[in-house]
Amino acid sequence: MGTVSFTARERWVLLVASAWLVIGLQLDAYAHATMPELETFWTPWHGVLYSGIAASGFTLLWIMRSRLPGIPTYRSLLALPNALRIPLAGMAFLLVGGGVDTLWHNIFGIERDMEIFVSPSHEFIILGMALVAMGPTLMLATGPERRLGIGGSLLVGVSTLFSVLPVHIYSLHASSIGFRHLGSGQDPVPVFSPDAQLIHGYVFSTILLLLPFVIIGRRWPLPVGLPAILVAVIAVLMHLMFDSQDAWWPALTVAAAAVAIEIVLRLVTPLIKTTANVHWILLGLIAPPAIWGAVLLVGKIQTGSTGFNIHMVTGLLTLTAMTGVATVLVARSVQHLPE
């Protein structure tokens, strides 16, 4: 298919459009979290969200205008590079989800609580957002640059943030950076309990926090600060949107631990003379239990207990370390499929 290039203008315009789109989701999520009595589709936050869908759609049409024949065909659309096909697939999901959402609300009413995260129209919208927001990074990845400058680092960081943030919001019910951070103190812990769900939340959050910069690291050396920023900003935004009435120490602990771990690993890694894959495995092994261990330690200082007994604490940290290693191994082993 040959080398495909995109201009900086195209990348940044799509970044702005996808930011508009995802910020609309954040505003809508915050409104529903703080005003559960909302009973109408016609809200200012939906206005931002749906105008963001329109802005993203028109931006993609503008980017494609010189890359398609006068009369596009199915074959010419398939011939587009993945950097365009993936955001276009996202736009298709957005159009279907957005179109169905109005009808869904009119027929079945406004979703509440867990319903928000399972409603079919919302599933399509979240998936579409993640795929559209990937576009700027995918476009930059088509170029020959082997390292990210300041501008490239900013673009990749913001694009990645807007790709994963909707997924973090959507998976709030299975996240350890949502409402609950510590166990309930039951001993022994029942198998089917909020504590058991929280264990899975630590595992899922480990994957979702670690995966983006492992994937970025396959294409470019990670810019200094990018991993810590991606973890810290997500933790703070999630708390701000859904848990701001409670203490800030869990989100701030995650943010501070992410910064500290990156500094330590940046200093220590050059001293370990081994392959890049081993360095990444060490990251997956060390970072997750260090971050969640910090949360549990600060939680004990703040509340007097982690809410888990020693078996649960040690087992949880071991599980997150194994999850981190598995995430690295899978993400770095996936091969490109032939055209």
Side-chain angles (χ1 to χ4, degrees), residues 213-261:
F213 50 86
V214 176
I215 294 176
I216 293 171
R218 288 189 51 158
R219 178 61 176 80
W220 304 285
L222 283 177
V224 174
L226 182 62
I229 289 172
L230 281 177
V231 173
V233 170
I234 288 170
V236 170
L237 285 179
M238 289 288 285
H239 184 86
L240 179 65
M241 285 186 289
F242 297 110
D243 206 21
S244 58
Q245 71 278 9
D246 291 329
W248 275 84
W249 66 259
L252 296 180
T253 299
V254 171
V259 173
I261 290 167

Side-chain angles (χ1 to χ4, degrees), residues 66 107 173 178 253 262 314 316 323:
S66 61
I107 296 175
H173 55 288
T253 299
E262 179 170 359
T314 55
L316 169 62
T323 301

Side-chain angles (χ1 to χ4, degrees), residues 190-213:
V191 173
F192 299 103
S193 66
D195 287 24
Q197 179 182 331
L198 182 59
I199 296 299
H200 292 94
Y202 280 106
V203 171
F204 185 81
S205 294
T206 294
I207 297 171
L208 200 52
L209 288 171
L210 187 60
L211 191 59
F213 50 86

Side-chain angles (χ1 to χ4, degrees), residues 149-170:
I150 295 176
S153 300
L154 180 61
L155 183 136
V156 169
V158 175
S159 174
T160 303
L161 173 65
F162 287 139
S163 295
V164 300
L165 190 56
V167 185
H168 278 282
I169 293 174
Y170 198 75

